[in-house]
């Protein structure tokens, strides 16, 4: 199968089972370039480091739509059977990537960071607010005793795409790509399940 238009930068979708650093890929000819998002920023933008490359023609994949692709990978699953017994099996995993698009907004970064929305996802109500703790009062008190920072959302950027980046104890864990944002709503995309995007409204 010929490779369709795969221009731009593609964000790896975190399905809750991945605990590494956020990743992106780019396509150059028949090559897929895999990058790790670095901790440091440059002029306010996220930076990346090339980890490895592979050939498109040698991967098993499925183009879901023009902005989303699924790769199938073989890996190992470890199962604990008892205290002294476990088993290891080879399993096929799926990894989704979403093409990043420029965020649609007329707001400045400073204006965006003052906004606050409620988002419903996976039967949970999420508080989408920047630079403030996202933990409950109880967790905040526990974190303070343990010297932990807790969870907070930070506005970050790759080229023309804004993200609500979730930090957990100072570690960047999830990038929530912002499709559009204004005073009335925020549209986030790149979620692991259909419809792959959610809409948040002000408090």
């Amino acid at each position: 199968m010929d490779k369709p238009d795969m221009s731009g930068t593609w964000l790896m979708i975190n399905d809750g089972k991945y605990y590494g650093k956020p990743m992106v890929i780019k396509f150059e000819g028949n090559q897929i370039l895999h990058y790790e998002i670095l901790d440091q920023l440059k002029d306010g933008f996220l930076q990346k480091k090339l980890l490895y490359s592979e050939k498109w023609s040698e991967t098993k994949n499925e183009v879901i739509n023009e902005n989303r692709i699924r790769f199938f990978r073989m890996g190992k699953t470890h199962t604990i059977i008892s205290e002294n017994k476990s088993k290891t099996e080879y399993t096929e995993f799926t990894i989704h990537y979403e093409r990043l698009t420029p965020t649609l907004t007329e707001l400045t970064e400073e204006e965006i960071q003052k906004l606050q929305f409620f988002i419903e996802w996976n039967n949970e109500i999420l508080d989408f607010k920047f630079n403030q703790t996202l933990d409950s009062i109880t967790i905040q008190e526990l974190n303070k005793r343990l010297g932990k920072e807790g969870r907070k959302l930070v506005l970050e950027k790759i080229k023309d795409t804004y993200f609500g980046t979730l930090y957990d104890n100072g570690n960047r864990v999830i990038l929530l790509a912002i499709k559009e944002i204004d005073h009335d709503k925020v549209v986030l995309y790149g979620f692991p399940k259909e419809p792959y995007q959610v809409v948040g409204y002000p408090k």
Side-chain angles (χ1 to χ4, degrees), residues 9-25:
T9 300
W10 297 67
L11 176 69
M12 186 181 76
I13 305 306
N14 192 325
D15 62 359
K17 301 175 184 177
Y18 174 75
Y19 298 100
K21 290 187 176 182
M23 304 274 292
V24 295
I25 59 173

Side-chain angles (χ1 to χ4, degrees), residues 96-141:
H96 286 225
Y97 290 85
E98 184 96 6
R99 191 200 317 253
L100 298 178
T101 57
T103 300
L104 300 175
T105 188
E106 295 181 358
L107 303 176
T108 65
E109 290 189 31
E110 291 74 17
E111 290 172 326
I112 291 174
Q113 294 188 66
K114 294 176 182 178
L115 301 177
Q116 188 170 352
F117 301 94
F118 276 138
I119 294 168
E120 185 173 352
W121 166 253
N122 208 20
N123 297 319
E124 289 186 51
I125 301 297
L126 308 176
D127 204 0
F128 191 85
K129 58 184 179 182
F130 294 104
N131 308 315
Q132 302 176 51
T133 181
L134 300 177
D135 296 310
S136 66
I137 298 298
T138 302
I139 297 299
Q140 289 181 48
E141 292 174 351

Side-chain angles (χ1 to χ4, degrees), residues 68-109:
R68 195 170 183 107
I69 188 170
R70 176 190 292 128
F71 287 97
F72 300 87
R73 308 285 191 185
M74 294 303 297
K76 293 181 180 180
T77 300
H78 300 278
T79 305
I80 304 298
I81 300 173
S82 66
E83 185 177 343
N84 301 313
K85 189 176 181 181
S86 65
K87 67 176 181 179
T88 300
E89 299 175 300
Y90 280 96
T91 307
E92 186 175 68
F93 296 91
T94 59
I95 304 174
H96 286 225
Y97 290 85
E98 184 96 6
R99 191 200 317 253
L100 298 178
T101 57
T103 300
L104 300 175
T105 188
E106 295 181 358
L107 303 176
T108 65
E109 290 189 31

